[in-house]
Amino acid sequence: MANYFVGDIQGCFEELTLLLNSVDFNPSKDCLWAVGDLVARGTGSLETLRFFKSLSGSAKVVLGNHDLHLLAIHGKLKRANPKDNLSALLAADDINSIIDWLRLQPLYQEWPEQRLLMSHAGVPPQWDLTALRSEANRVSQTLKSKDYLEELISEMYTNDVDDYHSDLTPLEKQIYCINALTRMRYLKDDGRLDFDCKSPIQNCNHANLTPWFNVKSNIPADYTLVFGHWAAIMGQTNHVNRLGLDTGCCWGEYMTLWHFESNQRITQEKLKDVKRS
């Protein structure tokens, strides 16, 4: 059995297929882990979601910010950005079952035997394992409820909840959890999330900002954290146990697949768009 971890797919289904074919991925014995943002800029969001849904127990997925945004679009809370190429997905005859499957996916995955965690953007350094599990699982329970749109999705679009403390309301704790696990890049000096700077680390001119993975964490030091979301750093963290897998395939770069057992990264360049008459 092999375990493969793939970076942000963002609807780039053809590139994903080529990657999996290159390693002879076999869902009857292998497991595919996805760091979230299955949908958006590429043209194959529908195919991507159908594929992961069909894998059942052979896939482990976490939700990214684009996946959560899809829930809002499908729920008529937001309008789709034409650049996100979601028309075919939203018009699919199985869209409702796809959405019901998607909202059952968690915000983090844990592999206790291998001391490994996976989330879309990372884990806020002030959280220990107990906080991560309890806060993320609380969001998952809300997403599973029939009123998830009104109770959470409609409320999550705010930058005001950028810090975690005991005075937060239950809803604010869920919003912080979403902001941290699906949107986090830099932290301010006081530990608050920064939502503005997306630059590569060497181009960040804000002295008060630090990449989240450079801040001392309360997660045990022997845990590996696998994440995506931050294409600008092209997977470079300078930490052996902080693995960034978003390498900007949807932006014209490449998709990265990490083979856990061999610690090998396999890549697939973005395919050139072909204009058809």
Side-chain angles (χ1 to χ4, degrees), residues 156-201:
M156 71 179 182
Y157 290 91
T158 176
N159 292 342
D160 294 338
V161 186
D162 60 359
D163 193 16
Y164 184 81
H165 51 80
S166 59
D167 292 336
L168 294 178
T169 67
L171 174 60
E172 287 172 335
K173 288 182 178 181
Q174 293 191 65
I175 294 173
Y176 176 82
C177 183
I178 288 174
N179 282 343
L181 296 188
T182 73
R183 300 178 62 199
M184 178 174 62
R185 292 184 179 94
Y186 288 101
L187 299 179
K188 300 178 182 179
D189 286 342
D190 58 4
R192 290 183 295 128
L193 303 169
D194 175 77
F195 298 110
D196 296 323
C197 187
K198 302 178 182 179
S199 302
I201 299 168

Side-chain angles (χ1 to χ4, degrees), residues 5 35 116-120 224-228 241 243-245 258:
F5 292 71
V35 300
L116 183 146
L117 294 168
M118 179 179 73
S119 65
H120 180 59
T224 296
L225 272 59
V226 182
F227 67 100
N241 62 350
L243 272 62
L245 294 182
W258 175 53

Side-chain angles (χ1 to χ4, degrees), residues 63-75:
L63 294 172
N65 51 300
H66 282 284
D67 307 315
L68 290 169
H69 188 55
L70 174 61
L71 299 181
I73 294 170
H74 177 260

